[in-house]
């Protein structure tokens, strides 16, 4: 039997386009979103825009304040540290399971992704690099063979991608990030599981520090400080 995909509704199309604009950085954190302006830009009525705002609100990508308006989400340092903590707990567990259940596939996929990351970095394509970074980590949840673990990440996956894409515009962060991904792959190839998981935990939690350092031009000093610990 041939399956047919249901055409996306206008509200789904608007939701998808707005989500992409937020995650890819075309809309800044805290930007005000006007129903009429978005409707005009996309050539739709205000109804699907209003519905899109509601969907994105459930994902945590926008917030609507009564009598004030709708805004792209913002995140405090403490909130991001808490998010990183949660992500690390889930991802390190997924890492161990993916090694146990699909180690050869993970090595093969990580080798491909790391090679592509190096090429993206060489041509200065920060967005492509960040998308590959996201794929690198996402594969852990796919190869863990636990759909509930994968589902648990969905509540914050787009927020993580949004922050990651903003860091990707900084060449120094990209260089430091790439070295850690290379080391994660090397440890996996050498079957040093505990060391690999320890590095993954550091890699995830340290991202919060580099996010705020990027705004103050302090990535180099933070990276050097981290390498000494």
């Amino acid at each position: 039997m041939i399956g047919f995909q249901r055409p996306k509704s206008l509200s789904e199309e608007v939701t998808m386009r707005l989500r992409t604009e937020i995650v890819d950085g075309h809309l800044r954190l805290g930007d005000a979103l006007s129903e009429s302006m978005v409707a005009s830009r996309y050539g739709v009525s205000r109804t699907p825009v209003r519905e899109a705002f509601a969907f994105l609100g459930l994902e945590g990508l926008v917030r609507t304040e009564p009598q004030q308006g709708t805004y792209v989400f913002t995140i405090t340092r403490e909130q991001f540290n808490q998010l990183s903590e949660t992500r690390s707990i889930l991802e390190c567990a997924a890492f161990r399971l993916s090694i146990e259940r699909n180690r050869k596939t993970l090595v093969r996929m990580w080798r491909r992704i790391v090679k592509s990351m190096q090429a993206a970095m060489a041509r200065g394509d920060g967005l492509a690099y960040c998308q590959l970074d996201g794929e690198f980590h996402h594969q852990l949840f796919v190869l863990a063979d636990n759909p509930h673990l994968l589902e648990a990440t969905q509540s914050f996956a787009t927020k993580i991608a949004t922050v990651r894409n903003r860091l990707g515009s900084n060449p120094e962060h990209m260089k430091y990030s790439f070295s850690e991904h290379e080391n994660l792959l090397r440890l996996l190839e050498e079957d040093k599981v505990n060391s690999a998981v320890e590095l993954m935990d550091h890699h995830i939690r340290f991202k919060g520090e580099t996010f705020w350092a990027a705004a103050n031009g302090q990535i180099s000093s933070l990276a050097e400080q981290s390498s000494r610990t």
Side-chain angles (χ1 to χ4, degrees):
M1 181 177 178
I2 299 175
F4 294 93
Q5 284 192 328
R6 177 181 62 83
K8 289 185 173 63
S9 67
L10 273 179
S11 61
E12 289 173 325
E13 290 283 357
V14 173
T15 299
M16 182 177 66
R17 292 179 65 177
L18 272 175
R19 183 189 295 113
T20 299
E21 287 195 68
I22 293 170
V23 172
D24 288 355
H26 299 298
L27 290 170
R28 296 173 301 179
L29 301 185
D31 272 355
L33 298 172
S34 162
E35 282 185 13
S36 58
M37 290 181 64
V38 173
S40 176
R41 189 163 84 247
Y42 292 171
V44 298
S45 70
R46 294 174 63 169
T47 299
V49 176
R50 190 176 304 118
E51 291 172 348
F53 286 174
F55 289 139
L56 293 174
L58 293 175
E59 293 180 24
L61 289 184
V62 305
R63 71 179 194 280
T64 298
E65 300 181 2
Q67 310 304 319
Q68 295 188 42
T70 299
Y71 304 86
V72 177
F73 82 97
T74 55
I75 189 166
T76 67
R77 188 173 192 144
E78 181 181 5
Q79 288 170 336
F80 191 76
N81 286 342
Q82 292 170 343
L83 192 60
S84 296
E85 181 179 61
T86 303
R87 179 189 165 198
S88 180
I89 292 168
L90 293 174
E91 191 158 326
C92 287
F95 194 8
R96 288 188 182 277
L97 287 174
S98 63
I99 292 172
E100 177 185 329
R101 297 170 180 175
N102 291 292
R103 182 183 178 279
K104 290 183 179 179
T105 302
L106 180 60
V107 170
R108 185 176 68 252
M109 298 194 79
W110 269 13
R111 283 174 178 165
R112 174 186 61 78
I113 295 169
V114 167
K115 184 178 180 179
S116 297
M117 291 172 79
Q118 187 173 32
M121 186 171 64
R123 65 177 183 268
D125 191 341
L127 183 57
Y129 177 90
C130 290
Q131 290 171 341
L132 289 162
D133 186 346
E135 183 184 353
F136 182 97
H137 292 275
H138 180 67
Q139 289 304 322
L140 299 178
F141 293 96
V142 174
L143 297 176
D145 285 341
N146 185 325
H148 301 290
L149 194 56
L150 179 60
E151 184 180 353
T153 70
Q154 300 308 306
S155 63
F156 56 78
T158 48
K159 279 190 175 181
I160 293 294
T162 302
V163 172
R164 179 186 288 123
N165 288 341
R166 280 149 180 78
L167 283 170
S169 62
N170 188 295
E172 289 189 64
H173 168 75
M174 203 186 313
K175 181 179 178 181
Y176 179 69
S177 166
F178 180 71
S179 70
E180 289 201 329
H181 287 87
E182 275 192 315
N183 286 332
L184 283 165
L185 173 58
R186 176 181 56 79
L187 291 169
L188 175 61
E189 290 173 330
E190 295 172 356
D191 206 23
K192 296 179 179 178
V193 176
N194 290 336
S195 296
V197 173
E198 286 177 9
L199 177 57
M200 180 65 78
D201 176 66
H202 168 80
H203 174 72
I204 292 170
R205 293 174 189 262
F206 186 66
K207 192 178 292 293
E209 294 302 317
T210 58
F211 178 55
W212 271 271
N216 299 317
Q218 298 171 344
I219 284 181
S220 291
S221 60
L222 274 171
E224 291 168 4
Q225 177 184 347
S226 173
S227 67
R228 293 194 296 267
T229 59

